[in-house]
Amino acid sequence: DAPAAYSGSSGGAVGGFRDAVRAAYLDGTLERLLAGPDPKARRAAVFALGQVGGPGSAAAVAAALRDDDPLVRHFATDALWELWFRAGSDDQNRR
C-alpha cells in the first residue's frame, strides 16, 4: 500500500533507499554529484540529500534551485524542506 512504500522504516521503498544511500555515500559525495554534468545524477543526488543529508548540505541544495533541469529544481525544493525539518533538536523534530 502507498503509505508503507513511503514509510521511514527499512521495509518501505523510501526507507530502503535511505538505508542504501547512507551505506554508500557521504553528503560531500552527493554534493559533488549534484554539481556534475549529468542531469540524472543531479536528480538522484538532490533527492538523496533531501532524504539523508545534513544541514551543511543546504547551500548546495539551494544552489540546485537554479539548475537547468526542472526535475532537479523540483527535487531541490522538496529537499530543502526535508533538510530544514531535520535541522532541529530531536524534540523539535518530533513536534
Side-chain angles (χ1 to χ4, degrees):
D1 82 312
Y6 292 101
S7 76
S9 69
S10 296
V14 174
F17 176 80
R18 280 188 206 120
D19 293 345
V21 169
R22 284 186 184 120
Y25 297 95
L26 299 173
D27 288 4
T29 305
L30 294 170
E31 290 173 19
R32 284 190 294 280
L33 288 169
L34 183 54
D38 182 8
K40 288 182 182 180
R42 293 194 313 270
R43 292 172 194 162
V46 75
F47 181 80
L49 284 167
Q51 295 300 308
V52 302
S57 296
V61 172
L65 294 171
R66 296 184 301 269
D67 197 280
D68 291 337
D69 185 272
L71 280 176
V72 172
R73 293 191 307 266
H74 173 79
F75 290 151
T77 300
D78 291 347
L80 277 175
W81 282 107
E82 293 289 337
L83 291 171
W84 292 333
F85 280 121
R86 283 196 312 274
S89 68
D90 287 342
D91 184 53
Q92 290 169 329
N93 290 333
R94 274 191 300 276
R95 283 186 271 147

